[in-house]
């Protein structure tokens, strides 16, 4: 019986496509009330006066909560969650008030009528690498060294046969899950229940309990379905604290709060723009002698988030001399946060385009250059890789993509008015398992109930966890009842860092095995076993990563410069694949998001106001159906005995890593125009066209 | 969203009188632009006058001319065999606009009246002379990727977003409008106005004027094409667009009608380019000369200078294809 490896359909699929899945905002509630936040219209200052009288007299308005009336929070340590505590405005769009009303329309109208004046202070929101106040954070996300150095990069660059020294830039990006950040909150009998769209009910409970000074058992977070998150729902943002605050102010009434699309651009986190100064030195035969990457990025003045952009450069290729740094500018801007593959995603754009530039300098095929620099051990730690099949991915991808027939000359192929090119880039993402998640297996009415407080943010947890349980119990997967998305179930780590299936799956697998060992094949009603994901001692001995190779075909219209990508192909080595159907969707989704990053996405910043100008989905372009053509994801049958007992590596994020670089490299091959700042738009290639 | 009253009058005359008499009243047709603006606070009407059941949803033919009822949905108009065969530039412009869902709602009368998508216009927390006269223009010195290179003023640099309107401008369509003083017709190219010092007024229509139909003259001789250049393949406003009709006989251009989108406060009829084209040989050199003549009056902003070469290249490309 091998439930693992079967392409089972999503258990929640029919509920989602038929509209019966209950999302946070639609949680059935008796006599709910509705909230609408009021946002600051200056980027920095102090509220001088806030006028709420006009709102308060509106029919249906129950409450206008401002810093004057808000409850004093038990903890303001997390400035993002310390809502409505004082007059200070730290960024434009910060919440300065909350209108609570009987209908969403009245709440929204009431919010429009709240009027504030400010003692405005000069604001500073412009990221640049030349700022004199850049600082070195103590650690970068999640908790790794800010800088690293081995050998002497400067000396190696000076003596290298060939060098590439370029600056690459990635834009500011905003997570835009289809379901906005939304909560239904109820304070009833001194228990706070949050039906919240979150990637982790337990992490959310912990954060909110702390903010309100409640014991965790008096906070319950429920989240059966998430309409996307990509990291923005990994930790609660201000909207959750606001909903909880309104619920406490109106006990017994369910309170609903959903951010508008526009509000998400200042309140739900974002990916920092990055400036990447990249240096590569190599011998004439294509061996890297130096890898240097100095990253500059931004954080908010009130809360630090240091994205780990240089991490992949530390371990990807062998070179005796290596140096990476991260520097931050603390600005009067909203709080940045996680977005699909924080660090690795932007952090493989500069390096993988630089590798392409080096390949052209050397006249070596870009696939071959990467193969030549394959390290034998992790260059950073010196440990062996638990498994590393990047070369196999590159070779298999090249074969499937038809790379062999490639004419390397840039800008020489014209087909029906379009310049055509192809490009390649490598992907990497760490394979993690987080200790501390617990699963329970119980025999109930002839069936097996599996409980864990995991969140399925669209990745397939509802479907793959039963597969893992069925395999360990040696029963058909139909015999498993899955229960997740509720703090009523045992503790589970956040759905993030591509660690969900590995982490929760390890606990489920272990609990199921324990159950079977303990009770045999004929358990009594109520028989129960649990297990908790533990530390993996092998982590100290092995470097654990998933790898991938991304291939792209780009077409650039010779007259207009319009850029289209008719083909993307990825080959991944990501351990054992639990469910090929949901896995494929994950890879394709990541690659599509990477395509979107390459060509479309950009939160356009206006430093005069200190805000994103294009803050809706009409103007903030993501790839739409017509932009996504032939996207293929393949994977190798990789067995990794070290990562965890299941041999599972994460797959949620590796699909996006490297995609943008592959597209940029394909655009260069098509046109001869080397675009080093994302997104690649037609104005940037126009000058290079015939 | 500010509360409003909702009227559903029995006939067009009543609708026009109701709106004309109430400065806070607006017509509601497909709602694809207005409803967004209600939510954003950009439009704050006191009264919505629903005209969806009052304007014609028929395309009628008389003496070979087509009259498109103002209530005809964009999707129906694009699919109409007479439009597709005789006015392909119009069908192409419709299909280049918005998304399938929006085209199912948007109407012939409403589409040309949609307002600019300038991000500052749509954000009530930033100054905008079009939304709030006298408050200033935030786009000047700001994000100008989608902004005008022709005919802008120091008060407003916004562009008109409709694709359909660009094709109608090239086809010499006429607008039939019903006002408080009765019916009248307006050449389509004169419907929209340049911003000047009253950028809040998009068109020459008076408050209460209702578009009842858009009338097409006989199809012009020659080949037609609508080419929209944008960053993604669908569901994006034009960076630039070209509606062109070109008639060539024995290598000589006998007629040309050209309008540009995405470059001005109105669909930009390229009269000067047309003058260069008529009577000239249908060659790349002519096409380039025509583009250069028209674009000599372009005044790009910091941030949209690329539109000058882009529009030149797009026009040459389209004319080459049509010749």
């Amino acid at each position: 019986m091998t439930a693992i490896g079967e392409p089972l359909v999503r258990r929640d699929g029919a509920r989602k496509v038929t509209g019966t899945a209950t999302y946070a905002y639609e949680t059935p509630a008796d006599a709910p009330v509705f909230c609408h936040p009021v946002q600051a219209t200056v980027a920095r200052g102090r509220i001088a006066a806030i006028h709420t009288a006009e709102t308060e007299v509106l029919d249906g308005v129950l409450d206008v909560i401002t810093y004057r009336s808000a409850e004093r929070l038990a903890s303001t340590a997390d400035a993002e969650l310390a809502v409505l505590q004082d007059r200070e405005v730290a960024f434009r769009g910060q919440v300065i008030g909350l209108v609570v009303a009987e209908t969403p329309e009245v709440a929204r109208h009431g919010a429009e009528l709240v009027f504030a004046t400010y003692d405005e202070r000069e604001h500073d929101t412009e990221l640049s690498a030349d700022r004199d106040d850049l600082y070195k954070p103590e650690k970068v996300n999640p908790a790794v060294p800010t800088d690293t150095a081995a050998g002497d990069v400067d000396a190696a660059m000076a003596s290298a046969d060939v060098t590439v020294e370029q600056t690459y830039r990635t834009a500011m990006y905003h997570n835009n899950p289809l379901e906005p950040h939304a909560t239904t909150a109820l304070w009833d009998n001194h228990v706070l229940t949050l039906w919240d769209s979150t990637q982790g009910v337990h992490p959310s409970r912990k954060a909110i309990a702390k903010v309100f000074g409640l014991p965790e058992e008096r906070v319950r977070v429920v989240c059966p379905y998430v309409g996307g998150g990509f990291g923005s729902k990994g930790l609660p943002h201000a909207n959750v604290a606001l909903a909880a605050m309104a619920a406490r102010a109106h006990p017994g009434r369910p309170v609903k709060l959903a951010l508008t699309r526009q509000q998400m651009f200042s309140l739900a986190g974002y990916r920092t723009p990055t400036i990447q100064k990249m240096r590569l030195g190599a011998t004439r035969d294509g061996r890297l002698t130096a890898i240097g990457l100095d990253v500059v990025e931004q954080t908010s003045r009130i809360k630090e988030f240091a994205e780990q952009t240089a991490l992949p450069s530390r371990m990807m290729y062998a070179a005796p001399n290596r140096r990476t740094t991260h520097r931050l500018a603390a600005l009067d801007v909203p709080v940045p946060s996680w977005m699909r593959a924080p660090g690795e995603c932007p952090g493989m754009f500069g390096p993988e385009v630089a590798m392409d530039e080096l390949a052209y300098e050397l006249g070596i095929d870009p696939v071959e250059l990467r193969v030549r620099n394959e390290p034998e051990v992790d260059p950073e730690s010196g440990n062996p890789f638990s498994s590393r099949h990047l070369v196999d991915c590159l070779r298999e991808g090249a074969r499937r993509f038809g790379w062999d027939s490639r004419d390397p000359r840039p800008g020489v192929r014209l087909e029906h008015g379009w310049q055509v090119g192809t490009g390649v880039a490598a992907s990497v993402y760490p394979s993690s398992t987080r200790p501390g998640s617990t699963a329970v297996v119980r025999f109930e009415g002839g069936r097996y109930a599996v409980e864990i407080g995991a969140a399925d943010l669209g990745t397939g947890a509802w479907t793959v966890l039963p597969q893992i349980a069925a395999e360990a119990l040696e029963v058909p997967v139909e015999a498993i009842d899955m229960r997740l998305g509720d703090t009523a179930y045992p503790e589970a780590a956040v759905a993030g860092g591509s660690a969900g299936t590995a982490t929760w799956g390890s606990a489920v697998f272990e609990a199921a095995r324990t159950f079977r060992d303990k009770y045999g094949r004929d358990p009594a009603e109520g028989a129960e076993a649990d297990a908790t994901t533990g530390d993996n001692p092998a982590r100290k001995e092995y470097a654990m990563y998933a790898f991938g190779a991304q291939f792209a075909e780009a077409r650039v219209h010779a007259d207009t410069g319009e850029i289209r990508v008719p083909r993307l192909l990825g080959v991944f080595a990501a351990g054992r694949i639990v469910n090929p159907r949901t896995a494929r969707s994950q890879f394709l989704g990541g690659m599509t998001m990477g395509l979107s990053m390459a060509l479309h996405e950009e939160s356009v910043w206006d430093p005069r106001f200190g805000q994103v100008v294009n803050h809706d989905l009409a103007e903030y372009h993501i790839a739409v159906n017509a932009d996504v053509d032939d996207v293929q994801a393949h994977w190798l049958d990789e067995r990794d005995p070290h990562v965890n007992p299941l041999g599972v590596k994460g797959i949620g994020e590796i699909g996006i890593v490297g995609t943008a670089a592959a597209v940029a490299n394909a655009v260069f091959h098509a046109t001869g125009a080397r675009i080093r700042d994302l997104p690649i738009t037609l104005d940037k290639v126009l000058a290079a066209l015939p | 969203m500010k509360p409003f009253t909702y009227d559903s009058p029995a006939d067009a005359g009543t609708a026009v009188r109701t709106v004309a008499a109430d400065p806070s009243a607006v017509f509601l047709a497909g709602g694809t632009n207005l409803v967004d603006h209600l939510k954003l606070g950009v439009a704050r009407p006191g009264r919505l006058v629903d005209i969806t059941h009052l304007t014609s949803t028929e395309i009628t033919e008389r003496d070979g001319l087509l009259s498109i009822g103002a209530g005809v949905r964009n999707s129906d108009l694009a699919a109409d065999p007479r439009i597709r065969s005789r006015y392909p530039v119009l069908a192409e412009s419709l299909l280049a606009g918005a998304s399938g869902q929006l085209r199912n709602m948007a109407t012939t009368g409403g589409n040309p009246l949609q307002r600019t998508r300038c991000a500052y216009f749509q954000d009530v927390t930033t100054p905008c002379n079009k939304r709030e006269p006298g408050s200033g223009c935030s786009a000047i010195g700001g994000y100008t990727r989608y902004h005008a290179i022709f005919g802008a003023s120091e008060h407003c640099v916004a562009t008109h977003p409709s694709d359909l309107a660009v094709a109608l401008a090239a086809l010499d369509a006429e607008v039939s409008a019903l006002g408080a003083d009765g019916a009248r017709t307006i050449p389509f190219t004169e419907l929209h106005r340049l911003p000047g010092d009253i950028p809040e007024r998009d068109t020459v229509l008076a408050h209460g004027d209702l578009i009842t139909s858009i009338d097409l003259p006989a199809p012009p001789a020659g080949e037609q094409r609508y080419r929209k250049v944008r960053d993604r393949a669908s569901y994006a406003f034009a960076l630039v667009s070209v509606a062109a009709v070109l008639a060539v006989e024995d290598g000589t251009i006998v007629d040309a009608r050209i309008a540009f989108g995405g470059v001005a406060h109105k669909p930009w009829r390229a009269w000067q380019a047309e003058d260069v084209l008529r009577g000239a040989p249908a060659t790349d050199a002519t096409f380039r000369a025509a583009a250069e003549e028209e674009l000599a009056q372009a005044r790009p902003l910091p941030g949209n200078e690329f539109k000058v070469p882009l529009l030149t290249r797009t026009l040459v490309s389209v004319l080459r294809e049509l010749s």
Side-chain angles (χ1 to χ4, degrees):
Chain A
M1 196 160 320
T2 53
I4 293 181
E6 288 299 308
L8 302 183
V9 299
R10 286 168 187 272
R11 286 192 169 195
D12 51 332
R15 277 169 261 162
K16 282 184 173 172
V17 298
T18 55
T20 56
T22 316
Y23 291 92
Y25 196 77
E26 288 91 45
T27 303
D30 287 333
V33 298
F34 299 86
C35 301
H36 200 86
V38 181
Q39 295 177 282
T41 54
V42 298
R44 191 178 186 191
R46 209 159 191 267
I47 298 167
I50 183 160
H51 304 280
T52 58
E54 251 191 285
T55 306
E56 281 158 5
V57 299
L58 279 186
D59 262 0
V61 167
L62 299 174
D63 198 359
V64 185
I65 307 175
T66 67
Y67 74 90
R68 293 186 307 234
S69 57
E71 71 167 289
R72 296 303 110 185
L73 295 169
S75 169
T76 55
D78 183 336
E80 189 185 4
L81 298 181
V83 292
L84 303 176
Q85 297 298 292
D86 56 37
R87 294 164 172 261
E88 299 303 314
V89 174
F91 59 88
R92 191 180 178 106
Q94 191 171 19
V95 176
I96 59 165
L98 186 71
V99 179
V100 185
E102 297 284 355
T103 69
E105 291 81 7
V106 171
R108 190 167 187 159
H109 178 47
E112 284 169 15
L113 295 177
V114 174
F115 175 71
T117 56
Y118 305 87
D119 296 325
E120 217 172 325
R121 286 201 294 275
E122 206 174 317
H123 64 262
D124 177 4
T125 67
E126 257 182 299
L127 179 66
S128 96
D130 310 323
R131 297 178 62 102
D132 57 12
D133 60 348
L134 297 175
Y135 75 97
K136 178 184 170 185
E138 275 185 35
K139 298 277 181 194
V140 295
N141 182 59
V144 293
T146 306
D147 296 352
T148 58
D152 186 337
V153 169
D154 296 335
M157 288 293 287
S159 63
D161 293 344
V162 176
T163 61
V164 172
E165 288 198 59
Q166 292 291 352
T167 298
Y168 303 88
R169 288 182 173 80
T170 58
M172 174 191 261
Y173 304 105
H174 275 81
N175 272 323
N176 272 294
L178 202 55
E179 182 199 19
H181 289 233
T183 312
T184 298
L186 176 64
W187 177 251
D188 199 16
N189 293 322
H190 303 287
V191 171
L192 177 65
T193 306
L194 300 170
W195 293 268
D196 187 36
S197 184
T198 176
Q199 292 171 229
V201 291
H202 289 93
S204 187
R205 175 173 75 172
K206 194 180 175 84
I208 293 299
K210 186 177 174 203
V211 166
F212 288 90
L214 294 166
E216 287 187 24
E217 59 271 18
R218 279 173 53 198
V219 179
R220 181 179 171 200
V221 181
V222 185
C223 179
Y225 308 104
V226 188
F230 312 113
S232 68
K233 293 171 183 170
L235 290 168
H237 296 292
N239 59 298
V240 186
L242 288 168
M245 181 181 271
R248 298 235 298 177
H250 297 273
R253 293 203 72 176
V255 168
K256 290 179 183 277
L257 192 163
L259 294 182
T260 64
R261 188 60 62 187
Q262 287 81 6
Q263 288 167 346
M264 285 177 57
F265 280 81
S266 39
L267 296 172
Y270 61 93
R271 197 197 296 282
T272 174
T274 73
I275 303 166
Q276 309 175 19
K277 284 191 174 176
M278 186 77 211
R279 292 189 293 170
L280 293 177
T283 59
R284 182 53 60 192
D285 66 350
R287 313 266 166 196
L288 287 167
T289 55
I291 300 171
L293 176 55
D294 298 304
V295 180
V296 175
E297 51 204 22
Q298 75 186 40
T299 187
S300 72
R301 212 184 284 281
I302 58 165
K303 181 177 175 182
E304 182 181 282
F305 177 76
E307 182 143 320
Q308 68 275 32
T309 310
L311 249 63
S313 287
R314 295 175 181 173
M315 49 61 63
M316 197 62 188
Y317 300 114
N321 304 287
R322 300 186 322 280
R323 194 178 105 94
T324 65
T325 67
H326 294 89
R327 296 293 177 268
L328 290 184
L331 305 175
D332 303 311
V333 296
V335 182
S337 185
W338 300 332
M339 181 167 177
R340 204 171 199 168
E344 279 77 9
C345 174
M348 281 293 264
F349 174 68
E352 286 297 300
V353 176
M355 283 295 276
D356 202 63
E357 299 204 44
L358 182 64
Y360 277 90
E361 280 293 318
L362 291 165
I364 297 175
D365 181 88
V367 168
E368 214 45 51
L369 179 68
R370 288 172 173 82
V371 172
R372 269 182 217 183
N373 288 285
E374 180 71 357
E376 292 185 0
V377 295
D378 175 10
E380 183 66 18
S381 66
N383 288 336
F385 288 96
S386 63
S387 54
R388 174 168 171 136
H389 293 102
L390 173 60
V391 171
D392 301 297
C393 290
L394 287 162
R395 296 272 189 239
E396 175 67 5
R399 185 186 70 76
R400 288 179 176 271
F401 194 73
W403 188 261
D404 282 356
S405 57
R406 184 180 195 256
D407 174 347
R409 291 172 302 155
V412 297
R413 286 151 302 277
L414 191 68
E415 291 178 17
H416 311 295
W418 293 79
Q419 294 195 288
V420 184
T422 51
V424 66
S427 304
V428 66
Y429 198 79
S431 298
S432 319
T433 309
R434 297 206 178 86
S437 292
T438 299
V440 169
V441 175
R442 193 181 312 110
F443 194 64
E444 286 179 4
R447 298 176 58 76
Y448 296 86
V450 177
E451 296 178 349
I452 185 167
D456 185 337
L457 83 150
T459 54
W462 277 116
T463 312
V464 300
L465 294 179
Q467 289 180 263
I468 291 168
E471 173 114 340
L473 289 165
E474 299 175 34
V475 298
V477 73
E478 295 76 22
I480 310 289
D481 290 330
M482 192 68 221
R483 294 169 192 168
L484 51 72
D486 194 328
T487 50
Y489 305 132
E491 175 94 19
V494 67
S498 294
T501 303
T503 298
W504 313 321
S506 292
V508 167
F509 190 72
E510 206 47 48
R513 277 217 303 221
T514 305
F515 183 97
R516 186 53 83 224
D517 290 348
K518 208 164 157 185
Y519 302 110
R521 300 203 59 81
D522 189 18
E525 177 75 10
E528 185 178 301
D530 61 44
T532 299
T533 314
D535 278 317
N536 180 1
R539 290 208 168 266
K540 294 197 178 69
E541 298 163 40
Y542 293 97
M544 299 179 179
Y545 295 90
F547 293 88
Q550 306 256 5
F551 293 80
E553 177 182 324
R555 289 180 175 248
V556 180
H557 196 280
D559 291 324
T560 62
E562 288 158 294
I563 303 151
R564 306 287 181 251
V565 173
R567 269 202 310 152
L568 280 178
L569 187 147
V571 177
F572 301 94
R576 194 175 177 198
I577 298 301
V578 178
N579 181 325
R581 184 191 300 263
T582 55
R584 183 170 176 277
S585 294
Q586 284 279 75
F587 287 130
L588 296 187
M591 292 168 72
T592 300
M593 206 163 164
L595 169 69
S596 202
M597 171 187 182
L599 299 185
H600 307 302
E601 292 192 46
E602 178 180 19
S603 306
V604 176
W605 191 256
D606 190 329
R608 300 170 306 167
F609 298 105
Q611 71 170 357
V612 175
V613 181
N614 56 339
H615 53 192
D616 61 45
L617 289 181
E619 314 296 335
Y620 181 96
H621 282 185
I622 57 172
V624 294
N625 291 17
D627 298 300
V628 184
D629 205 329
D630 178 7
V631 184
Q632 291 185 31
H634 305 278
W635 52 88
L636 307 178
D637 183 22
E638 185 179 68
R639 301 285 149 170
D640 186 321
H642 306 296
V643 279
N644 49 53
L646 289 165
V648 166
K649 294 180 176 179
I651 56 173
E653 285 159 295
I654 191 165
I656 193 174
V657 179
T659 310
V663 172
N665 296 340
V667 168
F668 169 75
H669 187 230
T671 62
R674 184 63 79 178
I675 310 303
R676 300 185 179 90
D677 55 329
L678 292 178
I680 306 168
T681 48
L682 61 86
D683 48 304
K684 296 178 186 172
V685 300
L686 214 51
L689 298 177
Chain B
M1 180 183 312
K2 186 182 149 196
F4 49 80
T5 54
Y6 171 84
D7 283 10
S8 184
D11 60 80
T14 309
V16 167
R17 283 192 298 278
T18 304
V19 172
D22 179 353
S24 83
V26 294
F27 294 118
L28 171 70
T32 58
N33 195 206
L34 178 62
V35 174
D36 282 352
H37 284 168
L38 294 175
K39 292 188 203 167
L40 294 171
V42 171
R44 303 174 58 79
R47 180 184 303 274
L48 293 194
V49 178
D50 190 338
I51 49 151
T52 44
H53 57 298
L54 301 181
T55 50
S56 166
T57 57
E58 305 287 319
I59 302 167
T60 51
E61 187 168 354
R62 204 178 55 239
D63 306 328
L65 309 184
L66 292 184
S67 176
I68 307 160
V72 173
R73 303 284 164 176
N74 279 186
S75 45
D76 292 333
L77 184 59
D80 188 272
R82 293 163 293 183
I83 297 294
R84 289 174 60 184
S85 60
R86 297 181 220 166
Y87 306 93
V89 65
L90 189 59
E92 288 172 10
S93 75
L94 285 159
L95 293 175
S99 65
Q101 293 91 333
L102 287 166
R103 293 195 292 268
N104 287 340
M105 290 301 294
T107 61
T108 301
N111 182 299
L113 299 184
Q114 63 186 301
R115 310 209 68 194
T116 182
R117 303 306 165 118
C118 174
Y120 302 98
F121 172 75
Q122 303 224 105
D123 182 345
V124 297
T125 71
T126 56
C128 167
N129 287 326
K130 183 180 269 298
R131 180 172 25 77
E132 200 183 327
S135 62
C137 173
S138 298
I140 295 174
Y143 176 54
T144 58
R145 185 171 180 77
Y146 288 92
H147 289 75
I149 59 172
F150 291 120
S153 74
E154 63 192 297
H155 303 291
C156 182
V157 294
T159 50
H160 184 70
S162 165
D163 292 295
L164 166 67
V166 182
L168 291 172
L171 288 170
D172 290 319
E174 281 201 337
V175 176
S176 293
L178 185 63
D181 303 328
R184 65 193 163 119
T185 59
I186 306 159
F188 194 85
T189 50
E190 290 169 25
L191 174 67
H192 297 90
R193 39 184 314 287
L194 293 175
D197 53 9
I198 35 173
E200 67 274 22
R201 286 197 61 196
D202 294 345
T203 68
V204 299
L205 296 177
H207 183 71
D209 282 355
L210 176 68
I211 294 180
T212 52
S213 70
I214 291 184
D215 308 309
L216 295 173
E223 299 292 314
Q224 306 178 16
R225 179 61 34 89
Y226 187 72
R227 179 80 161 91
K228 181 177 184 180
V229 180
R230 49 185 155 180
D231 286 319
R232 62 181 173 187
S234 79
Y235 199 28
F237 294 100
L239 290 167
V240 305
S241 71
V242 171
V245 184
L246 190 73
V248 179
E249 275 172 28
D250 301 328
T252 299
I253 298 163
V254 294
D255 195 15
R257 302 179 196 199
I258 293 161
F260 299 147
V263 290
H265 202 250
K266 59 184 290 185
W268 188 260
R269 183 72 184 258
W271 305 108
Q272 298 181 39
E274 291 176 11
D275 285 346
V276 173
L277 292 169
R278 278 192 203 98
T283 62
D284 265 25
T286 302
F287 304 150
R288 206 164 296 118
E292 278 161 13
E293 182 70 24
E294 192 69 40
L295 279 147
Q297 45 182 325
R299 298 285 176 271
L301 300 157
N304 73 7
E305 299 94 339
F306 71 93
K307 284 189 174 184
V308 173
L310 179 61
L311 185 55
T312 304
R313 298 174 70 105
T314 306
L315 179 62
V316 171
S317 179
V318 168
L319 295 177
R320 189 190 297 141
E321 216 178 313
L322 293 182
S323 60

